[in-house]
Amino acid sequence: FQYLKRFERGCDLDRFWYEAHSVEGSPAECLQLFLLHCGIVDPSWAELRNFTWFLNVQLRDCEESVFCNPDFVQDTLRGF
């Protein structure tokens, strides 16, 4: 949710990292962003869960990858 919220505002995501246990926004705002970005017109709860799980895994892997670390790659992959 934190990534999607910043993406919607046009923030630079290259230097953002998820902060565990931090709370932002309301449950309604969270659900609205998930519905907007999941790619399915009328998703079931299972489809929303799969979307959020997949997005979470991908973003966690990205944060842990040295190749996505802006301090390591400098500006060679800006916006990747």
Side-chain angles (χ1 to χ4, degrees):
F1 170 73
Q2 292 178 9
Y3 274 97
L4 289 177
K5 186 174 179 180
R6 283 163 179 77
F7 175 76
E8 281 291 308
R9 293 190 311 217
C11 296
D12 179 17
L13 298 176
D14 290 341
R15 295 214 173 260
F16 174 73
W17 273 264
Y18 167 72
E19 297 176 30
H21 307 294
S22 63
V23 177
E24 293 183 13
S26 67
E29 183 183 11
C30 181
L31 181 58
Q32 183 179 16
L33 277 179
F34 289 160
L35 289 169
L36 181 65
H37 290 281
C38 78
I40 300 172
V41 176
D42 188 17
S44 67
W45 285 111
E47 290 167 328
L48 279 177
R49 185 221 174 266
N50 289 338
F51 167 73
T52 57
W53 175 82
F54 178 77
L55 184 62
N56 187 52
V57 168
Q58 295 300 308
L59 291 171
R60 185 179 56 230
D61 289 349
C62 181
E63 285 185 350
E64 293 173 357
S65 172
V66 68
F67 298 106
C68 294
N69 183 331
D71 296 327
F72 177 75
V73 296
Q74 304 299 320
D75 65 349
T76 58
L77 296 174
R78 182 138 183 86
F80 176 68

